[in-house]
Amino acid sequence: MTADFVPCTDADSEHFRTAIIATLGPASWEESQLERLIDAGATVFRLNFSHGDEASHARTLQRIRAVSKRLGVPIGVLGDLPGPKIRLTDVPQGGIELQTGGRVVFVRGLDRAEVGDDEIRLGCTIDNIVGDVQVGHRVLIDDGLVRLVARCLEGDRLVCEGEGPGRISSHKGVNLPDTDLDIEMPTDRDRRFASWAIEHGLDWVAMSFVRGADDVRSLDAHLRSCAGTEGRPIPIIAKMEVPQAIEQARLIVDEVDAVMVARGDLGVEMDLALVPSIQKHLLAVARDARIPCIVATQMLQSMVESPAPTRAEASDVANAIFDGADAVMLSGETAVGAWPVESVETMHRICRITESTMRSLSITTGGDLEAAASVDMGPLEALVDAAWTAALACDASCLVVPSRSGVHARHLSRNTFHLPVLSLADDARVVRRMLLLRGVTPVQVERMPDRASLVSVADGLVRQHGWAEDGETIVVVARDDEVDSGARIIVHRIGEGGF
């Protein structure tokens, strides 16, 4: 029988949290705006390395850290690598009108477009578009507003035909959905910004144009070399935005720390009607791999200009949460939009009410608990399964876990019954990285409590956050720091002392 629907409010959120990522730009990078965005609900800020230089991003990062310290609120910072930006070179002012069936020729090394009697000649920032693109491949300009198809190769000239009318302007992006470009990843610019991200202590780095696991391994090798460490110095997010990445998704997730459903390029590179299904598929793949998944691009696009979103946009954000997204992201809405703070406030309200609805109606986001019984489990998986089982059996208000690296909190956050997780860490970097985990509230402690004091510390923190009252139950995961697989699951009633 279907449960009766009871409208929920923000106050019903039960402390469960979906992360909100806000992209910074001219509309939002001043300290006063940063403070308002944090108050509105932003938990992670995105630096888009496709725009600006190292100096401008350093100034923005300094402001973020200053505001975070002043407010006493941890804020994560995600650096988004630009990837290979394929763009047209210069086009005469005013652009060039293309007619259906018109002949467009890409010429190697052409710095400025030319208009001949029977053809338009264009240059591209990546010369090997001539040679890599094969007959019949699509060439899309300006997010697909101009659509071409390759007809033949004439020496250093790629001859295309317009599939419809359109205007061709300077420096517009070029997408090649059918072509496997011979591009080394990460690019030189990616490597430079990745090094900068390590040097400046960013919390995540997102890799654009990921085609397969080898691309991620190349970035990982560069990061380790820059940091001089054996382990990965900064978590990697794979942006899933080209067809090859979707085909290789299950291999890619084995190499990364999180994935992003980058719907902007996906909607250009692939049939727009496929994007919702791809989003659900990627969320499921990430859930199976027990890594976070971010849903991004045009979530509240109308709020670039309007103080309120469309009903469809509100449903889009909510459905991403229903499907298990760890984070939802704002791009132009907060970077250049007229209503950046209102965009975050709106997204925050949608998140909280959706989370409350899921909890009150027992709506799950997947089958992790059921799947656990049918797969081989190591010590960590067994620990997590035991904690979930105990929490369900005693109707716990929350889970509490100390997590030196964030791994235990990440696995516990994969629960499908929307139980909030309070995670303790003594490293500010770990705290900031855990902000991306669905349902996890990280708390920095001066010193990690030992087993003898953990329950009393957990009792005090849960009371402090208002997550449970006297007599209510919490589940504490007490790990043994000397033997990682050694741990104890403690069922504790608030106000009844330690064990």
Coordinates of all heavy atoms in Angstrom, one line a residue, residues 282-365:
L282 N 25.0 6.4 -14.6 CA 26.2 6.8 -13.9 C 26.0 6.9 -12.4 O 26.9 6.5 -11.6 CB 26.7 8.1 -14.5 CG 27.2 8.1 -15.9 CD1 27.5 9.5 -16.4 CD2 28.4 7.2 -16.1
L283 N 24.9 7.3 -11.9 CA 24.6 7.3 -10.5 C 24.6 5.9 -9.9 O 25.2 5.7 -8.9 CB 23.3 8.0 -10.2 CG 23.2 9.5 -10.3 CD1 21.8 10.0 -10.5 CD2 23.9 10.1 -9.0
A284 N 24.1 5.0 -10.7 CA 24.1 3.6 -10.2 C 25.5 3.0 -10.2 O 25.9 2.3 -9.3 CB 23.2 2.7 -11.1
V285 N 26.3 3.3 -11.3 CA 27.6 2.8 -11.4 C 28.5 3.3 -10.2 O 29.2 2.6 -9.6 CB 28.3 3.2 -12.7 CG1 29.8 2.9 -12.7 CG2 27.6 2.5 -13.9
A286 N 28.3 4.6 -9.9 CA 29.1 5.2 -8.8 C 28.6 4.6 -7.5 O 29.4 4.4 -6.6 CB 28.8 6.8 -8.8
R287 N 27.3 4.4 -7.3 CA 26.8 3.8 -6.1 C 27.4 2.4 -5.9 O 27.8 2.0 -4.8 CB 25.3 3.8 -6.1 CG 24.7 3.3 -4.8 CD 23.2 3.5 -4.8 NE 22.5 2.9 -5.9 CZ 21.8 3.5 -6.9 NH1 21.8 4.8 -6.9 NH2 21.2 2.9 -7.8
D288 N 27.4 1.6 -7.0 CA 28.0 0.3 -6.9 C 29.5 0.3 -6.5 O 29.9 -0.6 -5.8 CB 27.8 -0.5 -8.2 CG 26.4 -0.8 -8.5 OD1 25.5 -0.8 -7.6 OD2 26.1 -1.2 -9.7
A289 N 30.2 1.3 -7.0 CA 31.6 1.4 -6.7 C 31.8 2.1 -5.3 O 33.0 2.3 -4.9 CB 32.3 2.2 -7.8
R290 N 30.8 2.6 -4.7 CA 30.8 3.3 -3.4 C 31.7 4.5 -3.5 O 32.6 4.7 -2.6 CB 31.2 2.3 -2.3 CG 30.2 1.2 -2.2 CD 30.4 0.4 -0.9 NE 29.3 -0.6 -0.8 CZ 29.2 -1.4 0.3 NH1 30.0 -1.4 1.3 NH2 28.2 -2.3 0.3
I291 N 31.5 5.3 -4.5 CA 32.2 6.6 -4.6 C 31.1 7.7 -4.9 O 30.0 7.4 -5.4 CB 33.3 6.6 -5.7 CG1 32.6 6.4 -7.1 CG2 34.4 5.6 -5.4 CD1 33.6 6.6 -8.2
P292 N 31.4 8.9 -4.5 CA 30.4 10.0 -4.7 C 30.1 10.3 -6.2 O 31.0 10.1 -7.1 CB 31.1 11.2 -4.0 CG 32.2 10.7 -3.2 CD 32.6 9.4 -3.8
C293 N 28.9 10.8 -6.5 CA 28.6 11.2 -7.8 C 27.9 12.6 -7.7 O 27.1 12.9 -6.9 CB 27.6 10.2 -8.4 SG 27.2 10.5 -10.1
I294 N 28.4 13.5 -8.6 CA 27.9 14.9 -8.7 C 27.1 15.0 -10.0 O 27.5 14.5 -11.1 CB 29.1 15.9 -8.8 CG1 30.1 15.7 -7.6 CG2 28.6 17.3 -9.0 CD1 31.4 16.3 -7.9
V295 N 25.9 15.6 -9.9 CA 25.1 15.9 -11.1 C 25.2 17.4 -11.3 O 25.0 18.3 -10.4 CB 23.6 15.5 -10.8 CG1 22.8 16.0 -12.0 CG2 23.5 14.0 -10.6
A296 N 25.6 17.8 -12.6 CA 26.0 19.1 -12.9 C 25.4 19.6 -14.2 O 24.9 18.8 -15.0 CB 27.5 19.2 -13.0
T297 N 25.3 20.9 -14.4 CA 25.0 21.7 -15.6 C 23.5 22.0 -15.7 O 22.7 21.1 -15.8 CB 25.5 21.0 -16.9 OG1 26.8 20.5 -16.7 CG2 25.5 22.0 -18.0
Q298 N 23.2 23.3 -15.8 CA 21.9 23.8 -16.0 C 20.8 23.3 -15.1 O 19.6 23.2 -15.5 CB 21.5 23.5 -17.5 CG 22.3 24.1 -18.5 CD 21.8 24.0 -19.9 OE1 21.1 23.0 -20.2 NE2 22.2 24.8 -20.8
M299 N 21.2 23.0 -13.8 CA 20.2 22.6 -12.9 C 19.1 23.6 -12.6 O 17.9 23.4 -12.4 CB 20.8 22.1 -11.6 CG 21.8 20.9 -11.8 SD 22.0 19.8 -10.5 CE 20.5 18.8 -10.7
L300 N 19.6 24.9 -12.5 CA 18.7 26.0 -12.2 C 19.0 27.1 -13.3 O 19.1 28.3 -12.9 CB 18.8 26.5 -10.8 CG 18.4 25.6 -9.7 CD1 18.7 26.2 -8.3 CD2 17.0 25.1 -9.8
Q301 N 19.2 26.7 -14.5 CA 19.7 27.6 -15.5 C 18.9 28.9 -15.7 O 19.5 30.0 -15.9 CB 19.7 26.9 -16.9 CG 20.3 27.7 -18.0 CD 21.8 28.0 -17.9 OE1 22.5 27.4 -17.1 NE2 22.2 29.0 -18.6
S302 N 17.6 28.9 -15.5 CA 16.8 30.1 -15.7 C 17.1 31.1 -14.6 O 16.9 32.3 -14.8 CB 15.3 29.8 -15.6 OG 14.9 29.3 -14.4
M303 N 17.7 30.7 -13.5 CA 18.1 31.6 -12.4 C 19.3 32.4 -12.8 O 19.7 33.3 -12.0 CB 18.2 30.9 -11.1 CG 16.9 30.4 -10.6 SD 17.0 29.9 -8.8 CE 17.0 31.5 -8.0
V304 N 20.0 32.2 -13.9 CA 21.0 33.1 -14.4 C 20.4 34.5 -14.6 O 21.0 35.5 -14.3 CB 21.6 32.6 -15.7 CG1 22.5 33.7 -16.3 CG2 22.4 31.3 -15.5
E305 N 19.1 34.5 -15.0 CA 18.4 35.8 -15.2 C 17.2 36.0 -14.3 O 16.8 37.2 -14.1 CB 18.0 35.9 -16.7 CG 19.2 35.9 -17.6 CD 18.8 36.0 -19.1 OE1 17.6 35.9 -19.4 OE2 19.7 36.2 -19.9
S306 N 16.6 35.0 -13.8 CA 15.4 35.1 -13.1 C 15.6 34.7 -11.6 O 16.4 33.9 -11.3 CB 14.3 34.1 -13.7 OG 13.2 34.0 -12.9
P307 N 14.8 35.4 -10.7 CA 15.0 35.1 -9.3 C 14.3 33.8 -8.8 O 14.4 33.4 -7.7 CB 14.3 36.3 -8.6 CG 13.3 36.8 -9.6 CD 13.9 36.6 -10.9
A308 N 13.6 33.1 -9.7 CA 13.0 31.9 -9.4 C 13.2 30.9 -10.5 O 13.3 31.3 -11.7 CB 11.5 32.1 -9.2
P309 N 13.3 29.6 -10.2 CA 13.5 28.6 -11.3 C 12.2 28.2 -11.9 O 11.1 28.5 -11.4 CB 14.1 27.4 -10.5 CG 13.4 27.5 -9.1 CD 13.3 29.0 -8.9
T310 N 12.3 27.4 -12.9 CA 11.1 26.8 -13.5 C 10.7 25.6 -12.7 O 11.5 25.0 -11.9 CB 11.3 26.3 -15.0 OG1 12.3 25.3 -15.0 CG2 11.8 27.5 -15.8
R311 N 9.5 25.1 -12.8 CA 9.0 23.9 -12.1 C 9.8 22.7 -12.6 O 10.2 21.8 -11.8 CB 7.5 23.6 -12.4 CG 6.6 24.4 -11.5 CD 6.6 25.9 -11.8 NE 5.6 26.6 -11.1 CZ 5.5 28.0 -11.0 NH1 6.6 28.7 -11.5 NH2 4.6 28.6 -10.4
A312 N 10.2 22.7 -13.9 CA 11.0 21.5 -14.4 C 12.4 21.5 -13.7 O 12.9 20.4 -13.4 CB 11.1 21.7 -15.9
E313 N 13.0 22.7 -13.5 CA 14.3 22.7 -12.9 C 14.2 22.2 -11.4 O 15.1 21.5 -11.0 CB 14.8 24.1 -13.0 CG 15.3 24.5 -14.4 CD 15.5 26.0 -14.5 OE1 15.1 26.8 -13.7 OE2 16.2 26.4 -15.5
A314 N 13.2 22.6 -10.7 CA 13.0 22.2 -9.3 C 12.9 20.6 -9.3 O 13.5 20.0 -8.5 CB 11.8 22.8 -8.7
S315 N 12.2 20.1 -10.3 CA 12.0 18.6 -10.4 C 13.3 18.0 -10.7 O 13.7 16.9 -10.2 CB 10.9 18.3 -11.4 OG 9.7 18.7 -11.0
D316 N 14.1 18.6 -11.6 CA 15.4 18.1 -12.0 C 16.3 17.9 -10.8 O 17.0 16.9 -10.6 CB 16.0 19.0 -13.0 CG 17.4 18.5 -13.5 OD1 17.6 17.3 -13.7 OD2 18.3 19.4 -13.8
V317 N 16.4 19.0 -9.9 CA 17.3 18.9 -8.7 C 16.8 17.8 -7.8 O 17.5 16.9 -7.3 CB 17.3 20.2 -8.0 CG1 18.1 20.1 -6.7 CG2 17.9 21.3 -8.9
A318 N 15.5 17.7 -7.6 CA 14.9 16.8 -6.7 C 15.1 15.3 -7.2 O 15.5 14.4 -6.4 CB 13.4 17.0 -6.5
N319 N 15.0 15.1 -8.5 CA 15.1 13.8 -9.0 C 16.6 13.3 -9.0 O 16.8 12.1 -8.8 CB 14.6 13.7 -10.5 CG 13.1 13.6 -10.6 OD1 12.5 12.9 -9.8 ND2 12.5 14.3 -11.5
A320 N 17.5 14.2 -9.1 CA 18.9 13.8 -8.9 C 19.1 13.3 -7.5 O 19.9 12.3 -7.3 CB 19.8 15.0 -9.2
I321 N 18.5 13.9 -6.5 CA 18.6 13.5 -5.1 C 17.9 12.2 -4.9 O 18.4 11.3 -4.2 CB 18.1 14.6 -4.2 CG1 18.9 15.9 -4.3 CG2 18.1 14.2 -2.7 CD1 18.3 17.1 -3.7
F322 N 16.7 12.1 -5.5 CA 15.9 10.8 -5.4 C 16.8 9.6 -5.9 O 16.7 8.5 -5.4 CB 14.6 10.9 -6.1 CG 13.5 11.6 -5.4 CD1 12.8 12.6 -6.0 CD2 13.2 11.2 -4.1 CE1 11.8 13.3 -5.4 CE2 12.1 11.9 -3.5 CZ 11.4 12.9 -4.1
D323 N 17.6 9.9 -7.0 CA 18.4 8.9 -7.6 C 19.7 8.7 -6.9 O 20.5 7.8 -7.3 CB 18.7 9.2 -9.0 CG 17.4 9.1 -9.9 OD1 16.5 8.4 -9.5 OD2 17.4 9.7 -11.0
G324 N 20.0 9.4 -5.8 CA 21.2 9.2 -5.0 C 22.4 10.1 -5.2 O 23.5 9.7 -4.8
A325 N 22.2 11.2 -5.9 CA 23.4 12.1 -6.1 C 24.0 12.5 -4.7 O 23.2 12.9 -3.8 CB 23.0 13.3 -6.9
D326 N 25.3 12.5 -4.6 CA 25.9 13.1 -3.4 C 26.0 14.6 -3.4 O 26.0 15.2 -2.4 CB 27.4 12.5 -3.3 CG 27.4 11.1 -3.0 OD1 27.2 10.2 -4.0 OD2 27.7 10.7 -1.9
A327 N 26.1 15.1 -4.6 CA 26.2 16.6 -4.7 C 25.4 17.1 -6.0 O 25.4 16.3 -7.0 CB 27.6 17.0 -4.8
V328 N 24.9 18.3 -5.9 CA 24.3 18.9 -7.1 C 25.1 20.2 -7.3 O 25.5 20.9 -6.3 CB 22.8 19.2 -6.9 CG1 22.0 17.9 -7.1 CG2 22.5 19.8 -5.6
M329 N 25.3 20.6 -8.6 CA 26.2 21.7 -8.9 C 25.6 22.8 -9.6 O 24.8 22.6 -10.5 CB 27.4 21.2 -9.6 CG 28.6 22.2 -9.7 SD 30.0 21.4 -10.5 CE 29.8 22.0 -12.2
L330 N 25.9 24.1 -9.3 CA 25.5 25.3 -10.0 C 26.7 25.8 -10.7 O 27.8 25.9 -10.2 CB 25.0 26.3 -9.0 CG 23.8 25.9 -8.2 CD1 23.6 26.9 -7.0 CD2 22.5 26.0 -9.1
S331 N 26.5 26.2 -12.0 CA 27.6 26.7 -12.8 C 27.4 28.2 -13.1 O 27.8 29.0 -12.3 CB 27.7 25.9 -14.1 OG 27.9 24.5 -13.9
G332 N 26.8 28.5 -14.2 CA 26.6 29.9 -14.6 C 25.7 30.6 -13.6 O 25.8 31.9 -13.4
E333 N 24.8 29.9 -12.9 CA 23.9 30.5 -12.0 C 24.6 31.3 -10.9 O 24.2 32.4 -10.5 CB 23.0 29.4 -11.3 CG 22.2 28.6 -12.3 CD 22.9 27.3 -12.7 OE1 24.1 27.3 -12.7 OE2 22.2 26.3 -12.9
T334 N 25.8 30.7 -10.4 CA 26.5 31.4 -9.3 C 27.7 32.2 -9.9 O 28.2 33.1 -9.2 CB 26.9 30.5 -8.2 OG1 27.6 29.3 -8.8 CG2 25.7 30.0 -7.4
A335 N 28.2 31.7 -11.0 CA 29.5 32.4 -11.5 C 29.2 33.7 -12.2 O 30.0 34.7 -11.9 CB 30.2 31.4 -12.5
V336 N 28.2 33.8 -13.0 CA 27.9 35.0 -13.7 C 26.5 35.5 -13.7 O 26.1 36.5 -14.2 CB 28.3 34.9 -15.2 CG1 29.8 34.6 -15.4 CG2 27.5 33.7 -15.9
G337 N 25.6 34.7 -13.0 CA 24.2 35.0 -12.9 C 23.8 36.2 -12.1 O 24.6 36.7 -11.3
A338 N 22.6 36.7 -12.3 CA 22.1 37.9 -11.6 C 21.7 37.5 -10.2 O 21.5 38.4 -9.3 CB 21.0 38.5 -12.4
W339 N 21.4 36.2 -9.9 CA 20.9 35.8 -8.6 C 21.7 34.7 -8.0 O 21.1 33.6 -7.7 CB 19.4 35.4 -8.8 CG 18.6 36.4 -9.5 CD1 18.4 36.5 -10.8 CD2 17.9 37.5 -8.9 NE1 17.6 37.6 -11.1 CE2 17.3 38.2 -9.9 CE3 17.7 38.0 -7.6 CZ2 16.5 39.4 -9.7 CZ3 17.0 39.1 -7.3 CH2 16.4 39.8 -8.4
P340 N 23.0 34.9 -7.7 CA 23.8 33.7 -7.2 C 23.4 33.2 -5.9 O 23.3 32.0 -5.6 CB 25.2 34.3 -7.2 CG 25.0 35.8 -7.1 CD 23.7 36.1 -7.9
V341 N 23.1 34.1 -4.9 CA 22.7 33.7 -3.6 C 21.3 33.0 -3.6 O 21.1 32.0 -3.0 CB 22.7 34.9 -2.6 CG1 22.2 34.5 -1.2 CG2 24.2 35.5 -2.5
E342 N 20.4 33.6 -4.3 CA 19.1 33.1 -4.4 C 19.1 31.7 -5.1 O 18.3 30.8 -4.7 CB 18.2 34.0 -5.2 CG 17.9 35.3 -4.5 CD 19.0 36.4 -4.6 OE1 20.0 36.1 -5.2 OE2 18.8 37.4 -3.9
S343 N 20.0 31.5 -6.0 CA 20.2 30.2 -6.6 C 20.6 29.1 -5.6 O 20.0 28.0 -5.6 CB 21.2 30.2 -7.8 OG 20.8 31.1 -8.8
V344 N 21.5 29.4 -4.7 CA 21.9 28.5 -3.7 C 20.8 28.2 -2.7 O 20.6 27.1 -2.3 CB 23.2 29.0 -3.0 CG1 23.6 28.0 -1.8 CG2 24.4 29.0 -4.0
E345 N 20.2 29.3 -2.3 CA 19.0 29.2 -1.3 C 18.0 28.3 -1.9 O 17.4 27.4 -1.2 CB 18.5 30.6 -1.0 CG 19.3 31.5 -0.2 CD 18.8 32.9 0.0 OE1 17.9 33.3 -0.8 OE2 19.2 33.6 0.9
T346 N 17.6 28.5 -3.2 CA 16.6 27.7 -3.8 C 17.0 26.2 -3.9 O 16.2 25.3 -3.5 CB 16.3 28.2 -5.2 OG1 15.8 29.5 -5.1 CG2 15.3 27.3 -5.9
M347 N 18.2 26.0 -4.3 CA 18.7 24.6 -4.4 C 18.8 23.9 -3.0 O 18.4 22.8 -2.8 CB 20.1 24.5 -5.0 CG 20.7 23.1 -5.2 SD 22.1 23.1 -6.3 CE 21.4 23.0 -7.9
H348 N 19.2 24.7 -2.0 CA 19.2 24.2 -0.6 C 17.9 23.8 -0.1 O 17.7 22.7 0.5 CB 19.9 25.2 0.3 CG 20.0 24.8 1.7 ND1 19.2 25.2 2.7 CD2 21.0 24.0 2.3 CE1 19.5 24.6 3.8 NE2 20.6 23.9 3.6
R349 N 16.9 24.6 -0.4 CA 15.5 24.3 0.0 C 15.0 23.1 -0.7 O 14.3 22.2 0.0 CB 14.6 25.5 -0.2 CG 13.2 25.4 0.4 CD 12.5 26.7 0.4 NE 12.2 27.2 -0.9 CZ 12.8 28.2 -1.5 NH1 13.8 28.8 -1.0 NH2 12.4 28.6 -2.7
I350 N 15.2 22.9 -2.0 CA 14.8 21.7 -2.7 C 15.5 20.5 -2.1 O 14.8 19.4 -1.9 CB 15.1 21.9 -4.2 CG1 14.3 23.0 -4.8 CG2 14.8 20.6 -4.9 CD1 14.7 23.4 -6.2
C351 N 16.8 20.6 -1.9 CA 17.5 19.5 -1.3 C 16.9 19.0 0.0 O 16.7 17.8 0.2 CB 19.0 19.8 -1.1 SG 20.0 20.0 -2.6
R352 N 16.7 20.0 0.9 CA 16.3 19.6 2.3 C 14.9 19.0 2.3 O 14.6 18.0 2.9 CB 16.3 20.8 3.2 CG 17.6 21.5 3.3 CD 18.7 20.6 3.7 NE 18.9 20.6 5.2 CZ 19.8 19.8 5.8 NH1 20.6 19.1 5.1 NH2 19.9 19.9 7.1
I353 N 14.0 19.5 1.5 CA 12.6 19.0 1.5 C 12.6 17.6 0.8 O 11.9 16.7 1.2 CB 11.7 20.0 0.7 CG1 11.5 21.3 1.6 CG2 10.3 19.3 0.5 CD1 10.7 22.3 1.0
T354 N 13.4 17.5 -0.3 CA 13.5 16.2 -0.9 C 14.0 15.1 0.0 O 13.5 14.0 0.1 CB 14.3 16.3 -2.2 OG1 13.8 17.3 -3.1 CG2 14.4 14.9 -2.9
E355 N 15.1 15.4 0.7 CA 15.7 14.5 1.7 C 14.7 14.1 2.7 O 14.6 12.9 3.1 CB 16.9 15.1 2.3 CG 18.1 15.4 1.3 CD 19.0 16.5 1.8 OE1 18.8 17.1 2.9 OE2 19.9 16.8 1.0
S356 N 14.0 15.1 3.2 CA 13.0 14.8 4.3 C 11.9 13.9 3.7 O 11.4 13.0 4.4 CB 12.3 16.1 4.7 OG 13.3 17.0 5.3
T357 N 11.4 14.2 2.5 CA 10.4 13.3 1.9 C 10.9 11.9 1.8 O 10.1 10.9 2.1 CB 10.0 13.9 0.5 OG1 9.5 15.2 0.7 CG2 8.9 13.1 -0.1
M358 N 12.1 11.7 1.3 CA 12.6 10.4 1.2 C 12.7 9.6 2.5 O 12.3 8.4 2.6 CB 14.0 10.4 0.5 CG 14.1 11.0 -0.9 SD 15.7 11.2 -1.5 CE 16.1 9.4 -1.8
R359 N 13.1 10.3 3.5 CA 13.2 9.7 4.8 C 11.8 9.4 5.4 O 11.6 8.3 5.9 CB 14.0 10.6 5.8 CG 14.3 9.9 7.1 CD 15.2 10.8 8.0 NE 15.4 10.2 9.3 CZ 16.3 9.4 9.6 NH1 17.2 9.0 8.7 NH2 16.5 9.0 10.9
S360 N 10.9 10.3 5.3 CA 9.5 10.1 5.9 C 8.8 9.0 5.1 O 8.0 8.3 5.7 CB 8.8 11.4 5.9 OG 8.5 11.8 4.6
L361 N 9.0 8.9 3.8 CA 8.3 7.8 3.0 C 9.1 6.6 2.8 O 8.7 5.7 2.1 CB 7.9 8.4 1.7 CG 6.9 9.6 1.7 CD1 6.5 10.0 0.3 CD2 5.6 9.3 2.5
S362 N 10.3 6.5 3.4 CA 11.2 5.4 3.3 C 11.5 5.1 1.8 O 11.5 3.9 1.4 CB 10.6 4.1 4.0 OG 10.4 4.4 5.4
I363 N 11.8 6.1 1.1 CA 12.2 5.9 -0.3 C 13.7 5.7 -0.4 O 14.5 6.5 0.1 CB 11.8 7.2 -1.1 CG1 10.3 7.5 -1.1 CG2 12.3 7.0 -2.6 CD1 10.0 8.8 -1.7
T364 N 14.1 4.5 -1.0 CA 15.5 4.2 -1.0 C 16.1 4.7 -2.4 O 15.4 4.9 -3.3 CB 15.7 2.7 -0.9 OG1 15.1 2.0 -1.9 CG2 15.1 2.2 0.5
T365 N 17.4 4.7 -2.4 CA 18.1 5.1 -3.6 C 18.8 4.0 -4.3 O 19.6 4.2 -5.2 CB 19.1 6.2 -3.3 OG1 20.0 5.7 -2.2 CG2 18.5 7.5 -2.8

